[in-house]
Amino acid sequence: MRYYNLKKRIKKNEGFSSKPYKDQLGFITIGYGHLVLHNEKKLLEKKINKKDLEKIFQQDFYKALKNFNFFLK
């Protein structure tokens, strides 16, 4: 379980919502702070289960990690 503690900390700080909500900047988010993009409007149309939102979190996490490592080079 690589990065377990970091993921746990992010989840604690972000909180979880299975329903879309506006973040402090007014952007629509869901799950563990996932920014709903224009091509992801399906996330707003139906209730998304926690398992699927967990997958989205994992994708977001590894995308951010990849970008972080890219900028370290």
Side-chain angles (χ1 to χ4, degrees), residues 1 10-11 23 31 37 42 59-60:
M1 289 257 212
I10 291 169
K11 288 179 177 182
D23 68 8
L37 303 173
K42 67 180 185 290
Q59 292 169 348
D60 288 349

Side-chain angles (χ1 to χ4, degrees), residues 38-53:
H38 293 291
N39 63 339
E40 297 178 317
K41 296 295 183 190
K42 67 180 185 290
L43 294 175
L44 306 176
E45 296 171 0
K46 61 178 181 166
K47 186 171 172 92
I48 309 298
N49 66 45
K50 189 167 184 173
K51 183 179 175 184
D52 290 337
L53 291 170

Side-chain angles (χ1 to χ4, degrees), residues 13-27:
N13 289 333
E14 284 293 333
F16 177 81
S17 178
S18 60
K19 297 178 183 177
Y21 64 95
K22 287 190 179 182
D23 68 8
Q24 61 189 8
L25 298 175
F27 295 108

Side-chain angles (χ1 to χ4, degrees), residues 34-73:
H34 173 76
L35 174 66
V36 177
L37 303 173
H38 293 291
N39 63 339
E40 297 178 317
K41 296 295 183 190
K42 67 180 185 290
L43 294 175
L44 306 176
E45 296 171 0
K46 61 178 181 166
K47 186 171 172 92
I48 309 298
N49 66 45
K50 189 167 184 173
K51 183 179 175 184
D52 290 337
L53 291 170
E54 185 71 36
K55 287 179 188 177
I56 291 171
F57 172 76
Q58 296 294 334
Q59 292 169 348
D60 288 349
F61 180 84
Y62 286 108
K63 182 178 178 182
L65 186 63
K66 181 179 174 184
N67 288 335
F68 174 77
N69 287 327
F70 175 81
F71 286 109
L72 286 179
K73 293 179 183 180

